[in-house]
Every structure is written in structure tokens, then in C-alpha cells.
Amino acid sequence: MTSFSTFGLFIALSLLISLILAVIVIMPWLKAARRPDKPVDNQLLDINVAVFRARLAELQMDKDSGVIDDTHYQNQKLELERQLLDAQREVTLMVVPGVKSRLIVMIWVPVLAALAYLLIGDRTPVFTLWASEDKVGQVADDLLTGRIDQPPAWAIEDGNQLISAMQTNVHRHADDPNRWMRLSELFLSLEATPSAIEALARAYRLSPDNEEIATTYAQISFFANEGQLNVDSRRVLEDLLVKNPQHEGAQMLMAMGEARSSNFEAAQGWISRLRGSIAAKPGDHTQALASLDELSANVNAQQQQAAQGIDVTVTVNSSLLPLIKGDDVLFVAIRDVNGGPPFAAKRLPISVIKQAEANISLSDLDAMMPERTLAQARADKVQLAVVARISHSGNAIAESGDLSGNPVVVSSEQNQVNVAINQQVP
């Protein structure tokens, strides 16, 4: 980096532009000073002459076509000439300013421009960013392009400087998927998972055929979503498997995701498919196949637990549908009618509601605490109630503006219940 910093370059260019504007402002005065023989403003006179000629041509055309006679033509022509002579007598003198006035303009234009820039808002963050780029801009570029794996010690004395420089570098090269990928690694190291997922999404959109980017994007989204497949991660995995049907990482994520979504038959199908892929490869894969057997047994156990749960159908009153937003969250829980922590609960994206209805299964798989299960509550004849609520903030505690319904009491033998969301929390 040269000694001439970004801030110095900005100041120099700003002064140059201000001086150019000042010269443009006083240019008419300079022209007037170079033409002392014509100290008048002839612009209006030139316009009057042009109008006179145009009107005279119209009169000539009217005469030639017989619209007016010769007498009328001469009278109109004489009137136009008289108006032109009157306009020539009314001239405006050009007041030529002195050298002092010109210097005042040339000095005050840059001064006022600088004051306006500084007073409109706080520019400290801008100057801080420029300082960061001057110090660690090259290091950030080397990290993002893979030329170095670790920054030098002096570059991480102030971590915020390096982070700002890397983010700025990526946005300047927004069409480079590898830079977005490496930026996501930075966010993951800082435990900023939402930002990492956003960076991976950008990288995937730029390079959807890159298996490494697609796999990483699906994995991070999967684990950030508590082991569930959302719309984006499912789409990424399905596209990846279309291009590479034997991709073991994608098959494993599909198996785990389907099991987490209570699609147990689909999960077993992916496990069987993954088993075939591993068994077809040369070598000893005993440990991997044993892990798949354990996963399959776990899925069977989950399926048995889910079969002992309660199926909940949540419906939303049509009058409340316009109040639902795309980032809302649906909470469904089974609790003691007398209060206390729920025996089973699910926090779901609002997208599970299709045509004002959602079908959800609650079982011991959704227990909040290992010792407080739905099966134990039913064995103890606890009177249970199912509640459902749509939260705008995503908080487990109800807030004003949330959409909810009345709790529905469930008998000890009942395995299916309907809950209607039909009111707004005041």
C-alpha cells in the first residue's frame, strides 16, 4: 500500500472537483472580461431576431397562398420590425466582477462543499473503514482468494478491521462464489450462523454446480434449523442428488432430515440407498454399515414413539390470514391444564400451514425434558390440553399481536385433535 492513503486520495479528488465547479461558476464572468467590446447580454436579442424571422416567413407563406392580401402583409411586417427595434433598445449591461469577487467564489465553493459533507452526517464509520482497508485490505484479499490460510499476527490485532475489510472485499467482487464461501467460514468461526448461511446462499446461487458449496450450504442450514430440512436445504440436496445420485453426504442428510420430520418410511429408504452405495465400494466398510444399522434402529424407535403420540390439525380462521407474515412461527404444545412446562412442543415455520391448515404430530420425540414425557403424563391420567399460537417475534411467550386459539382438552384415549386459531392476543 502506498503512503498516499484512501482518505488522502478522497480529499485530493474532492478539492479538485470543487475547484472545477468553482471555475464553471465564474466561467461566464471570465468570458465577459475577455470581450470588453460587447458588454451586453445579447441572448434575449438573438431570441427576438429568431422569432422575427420565423414570423416573417409565416407571413410570406400566408401571402403566397392567398390567405392575406399585400396590404395586410405590409402592415404585419411593419409591426414586426417595430417590435424588433424596441427590443434592441432594451439591453442589459453585463457587470464584470473584479478579481476579489472571483477569488471569493473559488474559495467558498470548496469550503461550503466540505462543510456540507462533514455536517450532513457522522462520517467516522467511513473514515474507519478506509483506515481498515489501508491497513489490512491486501491481507483480506489474500485470505479470500486462498493465497494465504492464516492472517499475520499484526493483521488481527484489531479483528474488526480485518472483518470489515473482508466484507467490503467480497461485496466488491460479488460475482465470485469462492469469496462468499470463505466469508461464510469467517462468520462460522465467529459463531454468526445466520450471516454464514446468507453468505453460503449467495455462493450457491452463483455456482449451483459446485458440490462443495452445495454440501456445505445444506449442512449448515440443516444443523442451524435443529436437524430439520427447510425448503432451501431440501431443494439444494435434491438438486445435488440429481447431479450425483451416489453423494453419500446428501443421502445421510436426507435420511436424518426425513426422520426429524417424522417421515420415517422415507428416512429408511434413504438409509437403504446409502447402505447400497457404501456396500458397492471396494474395501472394508463394517464400521460405516454398523452405524447405518444403528441409525435405522433409532428411526424405528422414533416411529414407535410417534405412533403413541397425538395428531394435531391446526386451522386458521380466514379473517386472520392477512395478519400472518412470512417470518412468523407456529408453536404447538401439549401441556397440563393446570399449567407447568409442556410435555411436548414444536416450533415450526409458518410455511407448514397450507391453505389455512397444518397437520402436526406431537409425541415423546418432542418432549422438552427427558423426565417429563407425554407417555408418562397419559399413564398418570394427567388431564392434557393442546394449544397453538402464531408468533410474530418467534418467542415462546405470548405477546400482543400474536394469533392464538382456545386450548382443547384431550382425553387419555384420544389420539387426534383439532385446534382452531381464531383470535388475536390483545
Side-chain angles (χ1 to χ4, degrees):
M1 198 71 185
T2 62
S3 58
F4 198 60
S5 66
T6 305
F7 177 73
L9 179 62
F10 170 77
I11 295 299
L13 292 176
S14 299
L15 289 175
L16 177 61
I17 294 174
S18 298
L19 288 173
I20 292 174
L21 291 175
V23 171
I24 291 174
V25 170
I26 67 172
M27 187 60 70
W29 297 349
L30 297 176
K31 288 183 178 179
R34 290 196 298 268
R35 300 179 61 186
D37 56 317
K38 294 184 178 181
V40 296
D41 185 358
N42 290 326
Q43 184 177 6
L44 182 59
L45 180 59
D46 293 339
I47 295 175
N48 288 329
V49 171
V51 172
F52 168 77
R53 290 175 178 174
R55 184 62 183 131
L56 190 62
E58 292 177 4
L59 287 174
Q60 186 65 46
M61 290 176 60
D62 291 343
K63 177 185 176 184
D64 295 341
S65 60
V67 176
I68 60 176
D69 54 23
D70 185 67
T71 303
H72 186 72
Y73 170 77
Q74 292 297 333
N75 291 336
Q76 290 294 324
K77 180 180 178 182
L78 182 62
E79 180 63 25
L80 286 174
E81 292 173 345
R82 183 181 298 109
Q83 293 176 1
L84 181 61
L85 289 173
D86 291 340
Q88 288 178 331
R89 296 191 188 99
E90 297 178 3
V91 295
T92 304
L93 294 176
M94 172 66 75
V95 179
V96 181
V99 176
K100 183 178 179 181
S101 299
R102 297 173 189 171
L103 289 176
I104 289 175
V105 172
M106 294 185 68
I107 293 173
W108 275 104
V109 167
V111 170
L112 292 176
L115 288 175
Y117 180 80
L118 293 173
L119 295 177
I120 285 175
D122 183 9
R123 304 297 173 180
T124 303
V126 178
F127 301 148
T128 303
L129 177 60
W130 287 343
S132 301
E133 291 183 335
D134 289 338
K135 181 179 179 181
V136 295
Q138 188 59 52
V139 175
D141 189 76
D142 291 342
L143 284 170
L144 292 169
T145 54
R147 288 192 288 267
I148 60 175
D149 295 327
Q150 294 292 333
W154 62 265
I156 56 176
E157 293 175 354
D158 186 346
N160 290 331
Q161 284 189 332
L162 185 58
I163 294 171
S164 298
M166 291 181 69
Q167 289 179 291
T168 304
N169 185 290
V170 170
H171 283 280
R172 286 176 178 170
H173 302 85
D175 57 346
D176 186 350
N178 292 321
R179 293 177 191 257
W180 285 106
M181 180 73 171
R182 292 187 175 91
L183 182 64
S184 71
E185 295 172 357
L186 170 66
F187 286 134
L188 287 174
S189 68
L190 299 173
E191 299 183 358
T193 304
S195 298
I197 293 175
E198 183 180 354
L200 285 168
R202 293 288 294 269
Y204 178 74
R205 286 198 296 269
L206 291 169
S207 183
D209 296 329
N210 189 311
E211 284 193 2
E212 180 185 3
I213 292 177
T215 304
T216 305
Y217 178 32
Q219 287 177 343
I220 300 303
S221 299
F222 176 79
F223 291 111
N225 200 37
E226 299 178 353
Q228 293 183 342
L229 292 174
N230 57 20
V231 175
D232 293 331
S233 57
R234 182 181 292 274
R235 173 178 53 83
V236 172
L237 290 173
E238 290 175 348
D239 290 346
L240 185 58
L241 288 167
V242 167
K243 298 167 186 173
N244 183 4
Q246 304 304 319
H247 196 288
E248 295 177 3
Q251 292 177 12
M252 178 61 77
L253 286 175
M254 289 296 292
M256 296 170 63
E258 295 293 8
R260 187 69 176 83
S261 301
S262 299
N263 299 325
F264 302 108
E265 293 183 3
Q268 293 287 15
W270 284 110
I271 294 173
S272 177
R273 183 173 171 178
L274 182 57
R275 179 190 298 276
S277 299
I278 295 176
K281 296 190 301 182
D284 182 13
H285 304 290
T286 304
Q287 186 175 358
L289 293 176
S291 298
L292 289 179
D293 290 339
E294 183 179 351
L295 177 60
S296 179
N298 188 28
V299 171
N300 284 330
Q302 292 181 29
Q303 188 171 9
Q304 293 176 2
Q305 286 182 309
Q308 300 172 0
I310 297 177
D311 295 327
V312 182
T313 299
V314 179
T315 58
V316 183
N317 190 288
S318 58
S319 63
L320 300 179
L321 291 175
L323 302 178
I324 297 177
K325 302 175 183 178
D327 56 351
D328 287 350
V329 175
L330 173 64
F331 286 97
V332 183
I334 300 177
R335 63 177 70 245
D336 189 335
V337 294
N338 296 319
F343 294 99
K346 276 188 175 179
R347 181 184 189 275
L348 301 166
I350 200 65
S351 57
V352 300
I353 298 178
K354 308 291 185 182
Q355 298 180 346
E357 183 177 299
N359 295 308
I360 300 152
S361 176
L362 289 175
S363 65
D364 287 348
L365 297 175
D366 308 300
M368 303 294 292
M369 295 177 286
E371 69 279 2
R372 190 177 175 84
T373 63
L374 181 60
Q376 185 62 44
R378 305 193 88 172
D380 294 341
K381 304 299 181 181
V382 176
Q383 191 168 18
L384 303 174
V386 181
V387 294
R389 176 174 57 87
I390 296 176
S391 170
H392 296 312
S393 64
N395 293 329
I397 301 176
E399 298 179 356
S400 176
D402 289 351
L403 309 179
S404 66
N406 295 321
V408 177
V409 178
V410 184
S411 64
S412 58
E413 297 81 14
Q414 191 174 355
N415 294 322
Q416 199 281 331
V417 64
N418 298 323
V419 179
I421 295 178
N422 52 17
Q423 56 191 331
Q424 187 172 22
V425 178

